[in-house]
Amino acid sequence: MSVQAAPETIREMKKGISVTIRDLQRIGEGIRQGMRATSNWNDAQAAQFNMLMQQIAGLTETPISTLTAALPKLESLAQSLDNYNRVRF
Protein backbone atom coordinates (compact mmCIF):
# COMPACT_ATOMS: atom_id res chain seq x y z
CA MET A 1 0.00 0.00 0.00
CA SER A 2 1.31 3.46 -0.82
CA VAL A 3 0.23 7.06 -0.47
CA GLN A 4 -0.90 8.57 -3.77
CA ALA A 5 -0.44 12.27 -3.02
CA ALA A 6 2.24 14.72 -3.98
CA PRO A 7 3.57 17.32 -1.53
CA GLU A 8 3.61 19.80 -4.42
CA THR A 9 -0.16 19.42 -4.77
CA ILE A 10 -0.63 20.18 -1.08
CA ARG A 11 1.61 23.24 -1.37
CA GLU A 12 -0.37 24.45 -4.39
CA MET A 13 -3.53 24.12 -2.29
CA LYS A 14 -1.81 26.15 0.41
CA LYS A 15 -0.96 28.89 -2.12
CA GLY A 16 -4.55 28.91 -3.35
CA ILE A 17 -5.85 29.28 0.19
CA SER A 18 -3.41 32.14 0.83
CA VAL A 19 -4.71 33.94 -2.27
CA THR A 20 -8.28 33.37 -1.10
CA ILE A 21 -7.46 34.84 2.32
CA ARG A 22 -5.98 37.95 0.71
CA ASP A 23 -9.02 38.26 -1.57
CA LEU A 24 -11.44 38.01 1.35
CA GLN A 25 -9.49 40.63 3.29
CA ARG A 26 -9.47 42.92 0.26
CA ILE A 27 -13.22 42.48 -0.26
CA GLY A 28 -13.99 43.22 3.40
CA GLU A 29 -11.81 46.32 3.31
CA GLY A 30 -13.43 47.42 0.04
CA ILE A 31 -16.85 47.19 1.63
CA ARG A 32 -15.68 49.26 4.59
CA GLN A 33 -14.15 51.86 2.27
CA GLY A 34 -17.45 52.07 0.43
CA MET A 35 -19.17 52.70 3.73
CA ARG A 36 -16.80 55.59 4.47
CA ALA A 37 -17.91 57.20 1.23
CA THR A 38 -21.46 57.28 2.56
CA SER A 39 -20.54 58.63 6.01
CA ASN A 40 -22.32 61.91 5.35
CA TRP A 41 -25.65 60.13 4.92
CA ASN A 42 -27.63 60.56 8.10
CA ASP A 43 -31.12 59.19 7.70
CA ALA A 44 -32.78 55.94 8.76
CA GLN A 45 -32.05 54.22 5.46
CA ALA A 46 -28.38 55.17 5.71
CA ALA A 47 -28.23 53.59 9.17
CA GLN A 48 -29.81 50.40 7.80
CA PHE A 49 -27.45 50.42 4.84
CA ASN A 50 -24.40 50.84 7.08
CA MET A 51 -25.56 48.08 9.44
CA LEU A 52 -26.16 45.72 6.51
CA MET A 53 -22.81 46.49 4.91
CA GLN A 54 -21.05 45.97 8.25
CA GLN A 55 -22.70 42.55 8.50
CA ILE A 56 -21.72 41.68 4.92
CA ALA A 57 -18.10 42.71 5.56
CA GLY A 58 -18.06 40.57 8.70
CA LEU A 59 -19.55 37.57 6.92
CA THR A 60 -17.06 37.96 4.09
CA GLU A 61 -14.17 37.86 6.55
CA THR A 62 -15.57 35.05 8.76
CA PRO A 63 -13.72 32.17 7.02
CA ILE A 64 -10.33 33.92 7.23
CA SER A 65 -9.42 32.54 10.65
CA THR A 66 -10.34 28.98 9.67
CA LEU A 67 -8.38 29.21 6.43
CA THR A 68 -5.40 30.74 8.20
CA ALA A 69 -5.43 27.91 10.74
CA ALA A 70 -5.38 25.36 7.91
CA LEU A 71 -2.15 26.68 6.36
CA PRO A 72 0.30 25.24 8.92
CA LYS A 73 -1.59 21.95 8.91
CA LEU A 74 -1.26 21.71 5.14
CA GLU A 75 2.45 22.45 5.35
CA SER A 76 2.81 19.77 8.01
CA LEU A 77 1.02 17.33 5.72
CA ALA A 78 3.29 18.27 2.81
CA GLN A 79 6.37 17.76 4.97
CA SER A 80 5.05 14.38 6.10
CA LEU A 81 4.60 13.39 2.46
CA ASP A 82 8.14 14.60 1.71
CA ASN A 83 9.44 12.39 4.52
CA TYR A 84 7.31 9.45 3.40
CA ASN A 85 8.54 9.75 -0.18
CA ARG A 86 12.19 9.68 0.99
CA VAL A 87 11.72 6.25 2.57
CA ARG A 88 12.78 3.37 0.34
CA PHE A 89 11.46 -0.10 1.01
Side-chain angles (χ1 to χ4, degrees), residues 35-51:
M35 288 175 53
R36 284 186 215 112
T38 62
S39 63
N40 60 348
W41 297 356
N42 55 2
D43 60 2
Q45 286 181 327
Q48 274 185 319
F49 173 79
N50 285 329
M51 185 177 67

Side-chain angles (χ1 to χ4, degrees):
M1 181 197 294
S2 66
V3 175
Q4 297 295 320
E8 296 81 20
T9 304
I10 303 299
R11 289 189 176 100
E12 286 298 318
M13 287 173 51
K14 189 177 157 193
K15 287 178 189 175
I17 290 173
S18 294
V19 168
T20 300
I21 290 169
R22 283 192 299 275
D23 288 346
L24 290 172
Q25 290 169 332
R26 184 181 47 79
I27 290 167
E29 184 54 34
I31 291 170
R32 287 190 176 82
Q33 283 179 352
M35 288 175 53
R36 284 186 215 112
T38 62
S39 63
N40 60 348
W41 297 356
N42 55 2
D43 60 2
Q45 286 181 327
Q48 274 185 319
F49 173 79
N50 285 329
M51 185 177 67
L52 179 63
M53 294 310 284
Q54 200 63 277
Q55 288 175 339
I56 291 170
L59 289 171
T60 300
E61 295 170 336
T62 298
I64 291 175
S65 60
T66 303
L67 293 171
T68 302
L71 294 176
K73 294 174 185 177
L74 287 170
E75 183 56 34
S76 177
L77 176 60
Q79 289 175 1
S80 295
L81 287 170
D82 284 335
N83 292 336
Y84 176 83
N85 289 334
R86 282 190 209 112
V87 174
R88 299 289 176 229
F89 295 99

